[in-house]
Amino acid sequence: MKCDRCENAAVYSRKYSGENLCSECFSNSILRKAAKTISKYNMIQNGELVCVAVSGGKDSLALLHVLSKMAKNHNFRIHAVTIDEGIPGYREEALEIVRKFCRDLGVEHSVYTYKDLFDLTLDESLKLRDEEKISSCTICGTFRRRSMDHATKDIGADAIATGHNLDDTLQTFVINTLSGDTNKIGWMDPDTSDNSIRKIKPFCEIYESEIVFYAFTNNLPFQTEPCPHMNEGIRTEIREFLNKLENSHSGIKNNMYKSVLKLSQIVGDSNYKQKVSCLNCGNECTGRICSVCKMIVSLKD
């Protein structure tokens, strides 16, 4: 079977569009789609420095690969950042992969640790928590977001780029819906131009399965060992459910994504809260005390 765009043999079948693509045409389609998303939501401006969050997984390394290609032909710069949570036997492998990949690409790379920023590793936090009250993913996610904010300010970047894909958005929407946290649904719009620190997601309109194939067809190294705490939450079950739907009804994820964006805009407008500075640390939040300070107090009490 030939590629629909050239004479080479097709290696990927994009079911929702009916396209059959060779490796080169498929990779170019991902580059174009990411570039279109960046342009549509004004994610990167001329002359800006973009902090790229790189964990060592397929999504973040694929994003770094794509943005490094774009940066060569457009007027912006990138700086890779890895957050070390302090998970023994897990993060070390990823750090080595990222360091080597950045050296090969000629991209500057920095590492920030939970221990340095919060005086707590993730493992130490888990020993302090009330196990029935808070999940490891909640603790890690809260600390990770603040760590990336700190890294962005520290290196003087204008925006944070993360490898979140379309599947991640849908899974997060379902989790927020099931937990009754409707306020967070209002924060899912890709347009973050009004935020003091812009958090951009160039892959937000691309399927996770396509990011996986991009990584494989471009021979990108990435960590295959899953986080030892990943099964504490329900994200894996939701991922499997949505994949099953997509397999039976091609394109259903794209349709759901469009609905999520519409709902996010409606909820965001109705639940708008004035952002203020945390009384404890001074970081931006919507209440008197930010979520990170509340987390640290609850763990150390």
Side-chain angles (χ1 to χ4, degrees):
M1 182 169 53
K2 287 187 177 181
C3 174
D4 290 340
R5 302 185 184 183
C6 71
E7 294 299 311
N8 294 326
V11 296
Y12 188 87
S13 179
R14 185 173 275 155
K15 292 183 179 179
Y16 63 81
S17 68
E19 292 177 287
N20 296 301
L21 302 172
C22 69
S23 178
E24 184 176 357
C25 288
F26 171 83
S27 295
N28 288 337
S29 75
I30 296 299
L31 282 165
R32 284 195 296 270
K33 198 160 190 177
K36 184 178 179 180
T37 300
I38 290 170
S39 176
K40 180 168 35 174
Y41 297 108
N42 296 312
M43 291 181 174
I44 302 175
Q45 308 297 326
N46 282 333
E48 288 191 329
L49 174 62
V50 179
C51 174
V52 186
V54 187
S55 66
K58 62 186 183 316
D59 298 304
S60 63
L61 287 171
L63 177 66
L64 184 61
H65 190 255
V66 165
L67 290 181
S68 69
K69 285 178 175 289
M70 291 183 183
K72 293 176 181 177
N73 302 311
H74 297 80
N75 185 26
F76 70 88
R77 296 165 292 128
I78 58 175
H79 185 127
V81 167
T82 302
I83 305 301
D84 184 353
E85 312 92 341
I87 305 175
Y90 170 69
R91 183 50 63 196
E92 293 88 348
E93 178 194 6
L95 281 171
E96 184 54 38
I97 290 172
V98 175
R99 287 189 181 108
K100 184 179 185 305
F101 193 62
C102 287
R103 284 198 301 268
D104 292 343
L105 291 178
V107 173
E108 195 170 354
H109 176 233
S110 301
V111 179
Y112 294 82
T113 71
Y114 285 1
K115 187 66 174 178
D116 287 342
L117 295 174
F118 311 114
D119 196 31
L120 283 171
T121 66
L122 180 61
D123 268 26
E124 289 170 345
S125 299
L126 298 183
K127 293 174 183 176
L128 294 172
R129 68 174 172 170
D130 178 346
E131 292 188 8
E132 298 300 320
K133 186 176 180 181
I134 188 168
S135 73
S136 58
C137 291
T138 298
I139 296 172
C140 192
T142 301
F143 284 172
R144 179 178 296 279
R145 286 188 290 274
R146 177 56 56 81
S147 299
M148 286 307 307
D149 288 351
H150 172 82
T152 303
K153 294 176 182 177
D154 190 51
I155 67 176
D158 301 285
I160 305 170
T162 63
H164 291 94
N165 53 56
L166 183 144
D167 293 60
D168 292 321
T169 301
L170 301 187
Q171 293 158 20
T172 299
F173 172 79
V174 175
I175 289 171
N176 290 337
T177 302
L178 294 177
S179 65
D181 199 344
T182 55
N183 282 337
K184 288 184 179 177
I185 293 173
W187 304 345
M188 301 182 73
D189 194 316
D191 186 353
T192 60
S193 56
D194 291 335
N195 294 6
S196 58
I197 297 179
R198 298 202 323 279
K199 298 179 180 180
I200 64 174
K201 302 173 183 178
F203 285 170
C204 66
E205 298 184 345
I206 302 175
Y207 280 22
E208 180 180 32
S209 58
E210 296 192 338
I211 302 301
V212 173
F213 190 78
Y214 181 91
F216 276 114
T217 200
N218 285 280
N219 297 313
L220 304 187
F222 59 88
Q223 186 177 34
T224 56
E225 183 72 20
C227 173
H229 305 291
M230 69 174 291
N231 291 324
E232 279 194 31
I234 62 171
R235 185 175 290 270
T236 299
E237 296 173 69
I238 294 170
R239 177 187 289 110
E240 292 172 353
F241 169 70
L242 292 173
N243 284 341
K244 185 177 180 180
L245 283 178
E246 180 69 25
N247 287 335
S248 301
H249 310 279
S250 296
I252 201 168
K253 287 181 183 178
N254 276 325
N255 294 338
M256 183 177 175
Y257 180 76
K258 293 174 184 176
S259 297
V260 169
L261 292 191
K262 292 177 182 177
L263 289 170
S264 177
Q265 291 164 0
I266 294 169
V267 174
D269 290 340
S270 63
N271 289 343
Y272 176 77
K273 290 183 179 180
Q274 183 68 40
K275 292 180 179 178
V276 296
S277 295
C278 172
L279 295 177
N280 187 40
C281 69
N283 279 282
E284 191 177 76
C285 60
T286 56
R288 291 169 57 84
I289 305 296
C290 72
S291 58
V292 176
C293 289
K294 288 178 183 176
M295 181 78 71
I296 293 173
V297 169
S298 67
L299 290 171
K300 291 186 175 181
D301 272 355

